[in-house]
Amino acid sequence: MGRWSGLLAALIAVALVWIDGLRDSTPWVDAHWLFSYADGVVKRGLPGWVYGLFSIPVLDSDLLVTQLALAAAVALALALRTGQAMVGLPLATGLLGLVAILSGPGLVRQLFADPGRFDAIGLALILLGAVAVDALGRRGGLVALTVLSLVAVLVHEAFVLWVTPVGLALWLLRHNMGRRDLPMIGGAALVVLAVTGWIAGRSYGDLMPFDAAKALLQARADFPVSDLSLMVQYRGLDENIAYTAETAWEAGRLVPLLIGLALVAVQTLLVWALIGRGWHGALIVGLCLTPLLLFGLGQDHGRWLAMINASLAATAMAGLRGRKPQIGPPVLAGLAALSAVQLWLGPFGVVGVFPLAGMF
């Protein structure tokens, strides 16, 4: 693919996201943008606090514009990164790779259609991490990834099992880890885990009763505050695990979930084949699968699939940059088959044909 083909691929990607991914905003989504450090230190309060610096009262119409702009910007960044990574590859190979990435389980539908969970921000932080790894040295890249991980867990505590591991995977693609790196990596991990544990335990439930919190948020919004949205601040980890065990393993969810997992397994093997490096490559790909640990902590299983899909896509693109790998017929055939199945099921992910079944 030449540079113009890469730009064309980027424009196609943005068009697909806008056509299939974006929805009108809802009170459930909007209410998440009301959580703010202005009320005290609470989990998931960073986006709402930053937004509140520029817009009070919070209007549904303004939030919709903000969320559409955020989705478009992140989609464009993802697409441009994809196009740049595929420069030098044959056009058919590059376009096959692009379709395989975009049509993966939940990627477009989740990361760009549900801004209330801030996953588009998580993907933006991953893409920034990829740029930092490319631009900075060995130690500078680790410092930048640590800072981005800390920002990520302030956006959403679950990102410690998504943004942080894939950031390390991107770093490992550039640098072979030596013994001298272990103290810095271990220290950074401890800092990120400590901040995650602290912020995950801070909620509106520590500050005031539910009704008082709802009245506080409602006073600065022109839309009805969703009880279900606010409940995430009052339900702890143990309650989430119990709720997931009761609701997440129903028969109606198992078929789309198993299909999504099968597609992710194929993607994993293809990315491993693409980046090579034996067991080092296996470690890199394994770091992309850490959202599997979230399956027992929350019932948003389609969302966890989307996170894995995004991690594999970012890793594949980083593995391609600056290289012209010899992609043989087996990998091309795998890409073609995977793309065809995902488009048929979607057209952009596993939830297109099968019912949502509460997976997102």
Side-chain angles (χ1 to χ4, degrees), residues 61-306:
S61 57
D62 290 348
L63 266 181
L64 178 59
V65 172
T66 300
Q67 292 165 174
L68 291 176
L70 173 65
V74 178
L76 181 60
L78 174 66
L80 289 174
R81 179 84 181 172
T82 304
Q84 291 168 359
M86 293 179 179
V87 168
L89 293 178
L91 180 61
T93 302
L95 290 179
L96 268 179
L98 177 68
V99 173
I101 287 170
L102 289 173
S103 61
L107 177 62
V108 170
R109 290 183 178 272
Q110 173 60 38
L111 270 68
F112 301 104
D114 184 7
R117 289 189 178 97
F118 310 125
D119 290 344
I121 298 177
L123 180 55
L125 292 170
I126 288 173
L127 295 174
L128 282 174
V131 172
V133 168
D134 287 343
L136 304 176
R138 192 180 192 89
R139 296 300 174 91
L142 276 177
V143 170
L145 291 171
T146 303
V147 172
L148 291 172
S149 292
L150 291 173
V151 173
V153 298
L154 296 178
V155 172
H156 197 298
E157 66 278 6
F159 288 175
V160 72
L161 291 173
W162 178 34
V163 176
T164 302
V166 75
L168 180 57
L170 294 171
W171 186 85
L172 288 172
L173 273 171
R174 284 284 178 182
H175 310 285
N176 290 320
M177 185 168 56
R179 291 183 180 179
R180 289 186 296 179
D181 298 312
L182 292 178
M184 188 171 183
I185 292 174
L190 288 175
V191 170
V192 173
L193 288 173
V195 172
T196 302
W198 172 70
I199 196 65
R202 305 286 299 178
S203 69
Y204 279 89
D206 300 318
L207 303 175
M208 62 193 77
F210 184 92
D211 289 342
K214 183 175 180 179
L216 176 66
L217 301 185
Q218 188 64 74
R220 58 172 180 260
D222 75 335
F223 52 87
V225 174
S226 166
D227 287 351
L228 289 175
S229 293
L230 184 54
M231 187 58 66
V232 304
Q233 292 281 342
Y234 286 81
R235 194 165 57 214
L237 182 61
D238 291 343
E239 292 171 295
N240 269 337
I241 293 173
Y243 184 70
T244 300
E246 292 174 3
T247 61
W249 306 107
E250 299 171 352
R253 294 167 56 99
L254 289 180
V255 170
L257 176 58
L258 291 174
I259 291 174
L261 287 170
L263 293 173
V264 162
V266 174
Q267 285 194 355
T268 302
L269 292 173
L270 286 170
V271 172
W272 189 12
L274 178 68
I275 65 176
R277 309 188 186 199
W279 289 109
H280 183 70
L283 172 61
I284 291 170
V285 172
L287 288 167
C288 297
L289 304 180
T290 50
L292 289 173
L293 298 173
L294 294 167
F295 271 67
L297 306 182
Q299 68 166 353
D300 319 339
H301 289 173
R303 182 185 177 203
W304 315 143
L305 290 175

Side-chain angles (χ1 to χ4, degrees), residues 311-343:
S311 299
L312 290 169
T315 302
M317 288 184 285
L320 281 171
R321 281 181 65 85
R323 298 173 57 218
K324 294 183 180 179
Q326 297 298 316
I327 300 178
V331 174
L332 285 176
L335 278 174
L338 180 67
S339 299
V341 171
Q342 289 179 164
L343 287 171

